[in-house]
Amino acid sequence: MVKAENFKTADKKPSLVCFAGCDWWYHNRGLFCPQIIKRLAKDYRVLFVNSLGMRIPSLRKDRNAIGKIVRKLRSIFRFLRKSDNGMYVLSPVSIPLASSFGRKLNNYCVFLQVKLVSVLLSFASPVVYIGCPPALEIVRRMKSKRFMIYERTDLFEEMPGINKTYISFLDDELAASADLVLYVNTSLYEKGLRKNKNSLLIGHGVDFDCFSGSFDGKDTPKDIAKIRHPIIGFFGDISDKTSDLRLLEFAAGKLPDMSFVFVGPVSANVAGLREYTNVHFLGQKPYEMIPLYGKEFDVAIMPWNNNRWIQFCNPVKLKEYLALGKPVVSTYYPEITPYTDIVYVASDYDGFVSRIVEAVNERAPEIAQNRRDRVRNETWDSKVAQIKVALNRGCQETEITDSQ
């Protein structure tokens, strides 16, 4: 918990309140929002409000519902803490009610907590950053906000188990009314630009030094060190909405002499995959450890479903795989198009398997360097530099308009 004396500061930096689409304490910090905000924290005093959520976990339908609830409670018990990079992180107490009245009550409760903390931290006229559409209901009550940014990184209404009509309404309003809208997907950007000229297509970044740097002197994690090569690897969440589990079962069955390794949380039913002796689930790892696992991959895979969520996404891990220099085998999705010259793209199940075999047998070392060079300048720092230009220009225009 933040102590009272920590509220006092002579820091004259401007303030920024981020309503995140993730939880700082237990979600992947390699995601767009944490990567952007922790860099903006060098120039702003930041209050990072952990995810308000877009749906209530169902004990009947969600395989990991209990785990999600426990993690959320642990986060809430932290309430207000200061992170290692100087941000204030707030996990507001919220009431999981699905009705319209319940949402209003919950939003007002969260608003009061954010207002109280903002007063304690002297966050006057903050820039507001929204990474979760339901936060709009809270931000509407914030009368003194200076500038509003909306992070539109996915087709939020396609998330399973949500009120699509409600989320779609909030998403449309934010995309049209925000002072700056950030996009990583070209199709979403082109649609959004027609609603709001203050839209910016910046794509995902990559922590290039972390993923491409020297691993000399760093021990290979023990759980992957004992697995037989070649390793066909994936890091990230294995979920029903993104991962084609039938494809993975097909590939594991066709390639019994190759090890399929999954590093990350599992929210899908992978009972079928677990039946294969060449399939290994290593669980979620700290973000800083991911490159150490990735360097052991002989081939990195992206086995995506063919659905609207994938059509309008742009996975962060592609550039991380490329920064590692690894051969990448992927099913087709629109945002892979600029990289088809350096990525093995498959159009069907048999093609996915044959592309893995082709990638495993790749021998030219200069190809790995070409992959690294392709994303060398696509760093998170470069993405934040673009955002800061648009943010500073927008804030100046807002101040001029307010003074007239």
Side-chain angles (χ1 to χ4, degrees):
M1 184 69 69
V2 176
K3 297 180 180 179
E5 58 265 26
N6 294 138
F7 292 131
K8 301 175 182 179
T9 177
D11 197 338
K12 299 300 182 183
K13 293 179 182 177
S15 303
L16 185 150
V17 177
C18 170
F19 293 91
C22 59
D23 191 296
W24 178 260
W25 301 121
Y26 66 80
H27 278 134
N28 176 12
R29 295 185 189 177
L31 297 173
F32 186 94
C33 183
Q35 290 283 5
I36 296 298
I37 297 301
K38 74 180 184 181
R39 286 168 171 79
L40 287 176
K42 297 175 183 178
D43 300 299
Y44 288 82
R45 298 177 62 230
V46 171
L47 174 62
F48 189 99
V49 183
N50 279 330
S51 178
L52 306 177
M54 287 189 273
R55 65 189 182 97
I56 299 171
S58 169
L59 294 176
R60 182 170 59 89
K61 296 180 180 179
D62 290 358
R63 298 181 184 87
N64 293 334
I66 297 296
K68 291 176 181 177
I69 292 170
V70 170
R71 288 196 303 266
K72 191 64 177 178
L73 289 173
R74 286 176 177 170
S75 183
I76 288 174
F77 286 141
R78 293 172 181 261
F79 192 60
L80 181 64
R81 298 285 178 96
K82 202 167 187 178
S83 71
D84 51 6
N85 69 334
M87 297 189 314
Y88 292 94
V89 180
L90 172 66
S91 301
V93 178
S94 56
I95 308 166
L97 300 174
S99 66
S100 176
F101 173 76
R103 283 201 308 266
K104 291 178 181 178
L105 180 63
N106 186 49
N107 290 335
Y108 188 66
C109 177
V110 174
F111 164 71
L112 290 177
Q113 294 170 76
V114 172
K115 183 177 180 179
L116 172 63
V117 172
S118 295
V119 170
L120 289 171
L121 298 176
S122 301
F123 271 42
S125 299
V127 169
V128 173
Y129 185 108
I130 297 179
C132 181
L136 176 61
E137 304 280 22
I138 297 163
V139 173
R140 281 176 175 151
R141 300 175 180 272
M142 298 174 63
K143 304 299 183 184
S144 62
K145 61 181 178 295
R146 182 183 181 193
F147 191 85
M148 185 169 73
I149 302 173
Y150 178 40
E151 171 202 306
R152 200 175 186 213
T153 51
D154 288 295
L155 197 62
F156 293 119
E157 63 265 30
E158 289 299 314
M159 183 174 289
I162 64 166
N163 183 330
K164 292 190 177 184
T165 302
Y166 174 63
I167 296 299
S168 221
F169 167 76
L170 295 175
D171 177 61
D172 285 342
E173 186 165 338
L174 280 163
S177 63
D179 297 300
L180 176 63
V181 188
L182 305 177
Y183 290 91
V184 300
N185 178 278
T186 305
S187 296
L188 276 181
Y189 166 73
E190 290 173 347
K191 291 181 179 180
L193 190 58
R194 295 195 288 269
K195 300 178 183 179
N196 189 336
K197 64 181 180 63
N198 297 315
S199 298
L200 181 63
L201 176 64
I202 64 171
H204 280 301
V206 61
D207 193 339
F208 186 79
D209 291 340
C210 180
F211 282 88
S212 68
S214 171
F215 298 103
D216 293 342
K218 296 182 180 179
D219 294 334
T220 299
K222 293 180 180 179
D223 51 356
I224 197 171
K226 63 185 179 183
I227 296 175
R228 183 181 62 181
H229 286 264
I231 291 176
I232 314 304
F234 175 94
F235 50 68
D237 185 11
I238 296 291
S239 73
D240 292 310
K241 75 173 183 288
T242 59
S243 305
D244 188 338
L245 301 179
R246 290 180 59 195
L247 169 60
L248 291 172
E249 290 177 20
F250 180 84
K254 289 287 185 179
L255 302 170
D257 294 330
M258 298 186 187
S259 299
F260 287 75
V261 175
F262 301 92
V263 180
V266 177
S267 58
N269 181 356
V270 294
L273 272 172
R274 292 186 186 278
E275 293 180 2
Y276 293 89
T277 57
N278 60 328
V279 172
H280 309 266
F281 292 94
L282 304 186
Q284 187 168 359
K285 308 296 179 182
Y287 174 72
E288 297 76 14
M289 291 290 293
I290 296 301
L292 295 179
Y293 283 88
K295 78 180 181 68
E296 296 301 313
F297 296 174
D298 295 287
V299 174
I301 56 173
M302 297 196 296
W304 305 133
N305 281 319
N306 182 14
N307 57 26
R308 279 174 56 79
W309 179 271
I310 295 299
Q311 181 183 352
F312 291 97
C313 80
N314 189 359
V316 176
K317 63 176 54 55
L318 172 61
K319 291 176 181 176
E320 294 172 342
Y321 286 161
L322 294 175
L324 283 164
K326 299 298 178 179
V328 181
V329 176
S330 178
T331 54
Y332 175 79
Y333 62 99
E335 290 296 319
I336 198 71
T337 301
Y339 298 93
T340 52
D341 59 324
I342 56 171
V343 173
Y344 297 89
V345 179
S347 58
D348 57 29
Y349 282 19
D350 286 320
F352 194 79
V353 170
S354 63
R355 297 299 258 169
I356 289 176
V357 173
E358 187 179 351
V360 166
N361 291 322
E362 181 184 285
R363 291 293 178 264
E366 66 272 13
I367 299 178
Q369 189 58 49
N370 289 341
R371 285 189 280 260
R372 292 191 183 94
D373 290 342
R374 191 66 165 270
V375 295
R376 183 177 301 277
N377 297 320
E378 294 289 320
T379 64
W380 287 114
D381 287 338
S382 72
K383 304 304 177 183
V384 170
Q386 294 179 58
I387 294 171
K388 285 166 64 175
V389 169
L391 173 56
N392 293 336
R393 180 173 60 243
C395 286
Q396 290 171 3
E397 291 173 355
T398 300
E399 289 170 0
I400 291 173
T401 301
D402 291 345
S403 65
Q404 290 176 345

